[in-house]
Amino acid sequence: MVYEEVMEYLSGKRKAFDFKFELDGTAFQKQVWEELTHIPYGETRTYKEIAIAIKNPKASRAVGMANNKNPILIVIPCHRVIGSDGKLTGYAGGLDMKKVLLDLELRNSTLKLKENQ
């Protein structure tokens, strides 16, 4: 099930994951990871926006550290978090992979919009 869902995501057929998982982390990390799951497919947020969303506006750096500890990349979409200047910053899978994932989502979001017009 997990394999199929990840493969569907990578082929552009899946926008969200349905399989159950349990995370092991601090309360703060879990709060950040939960917030990341609310970033819509094909969109990005800054570390500061995540910090504000979890009602801890001065925690941008801590949000970055929580992203770094994300145990299930792609499923908890930390690749959708970017720097305040719009640049790609930090990703456990490497910046090249982050760009590939963001491009994949952008391309599939754009295709869906065109199909619905």
Side-chain angles (χ1 to χ4, degrees):
M1 176 180 212
V2 173
Y3 175 80
E4 286 110 16
E5 288 192 21
V6 171
M7 295 309 292
E8 289 169 356
Y9 168 83
L10 293 173
S11 69
K13 296 176 185 166
R14 177 174 288 278
K15 310 290 189 250
F17 297 92
D18 299 322
F19 62 85
K20 301 285 181 214
F21 55 85
E22 191 171 315
L23 297 171
D24 186 30
T26 67
F28 180 81
Q29 288 170 335
K30 289 178 182 180
Q31 185 181 23
V32 170
W33 298 336
E34 173 64 26
E35 188 59 35
L36 299 182
T37 67
H38 299 293
I39 304 172
Y41 182 93
E43 294 185 19
T44 59
R45 299 291 184 272
T46 65
Y47 294 96
K48 179 138 186 91
E49 288 172 323
I50 298 299
I52 290 168
I54 63 169
K55 311 232 183 316
N56 199 340
K58 295 184 182 209
S60 297
R61 283 184 176 271
V63 166
M65 292 308 296
N67 278 4
N68 185 315
K69 300 295 184 188
N70 177 1
I72 47 179
L73 305 176
I74 299 177
V75 178
I76 299 176
C78 57
H79 61 277
R80 296 180 189 154
V81 184
I82 60 174
S84 296
D85 59 2
K87 292 184 179 177
L88 301 186
T89 59
Y91 184 63
L95 291 182
D96 289 340
M97 179 60 68
K98 185 172 189 165
K99 181 169 178 18
V100 166
L101 294 172
L102 290 173
D103 288 347
L104 170 87
E105 292 185 8
L106 181 61
R107 185 173 58 251
N108 288 313
S109 294
T110 304
L111 285 175
K112 186 170 184 166
L113 284 174
K114 287 181 182 176
E115 289 171 0
N116 290 334
Q117 291 178 347

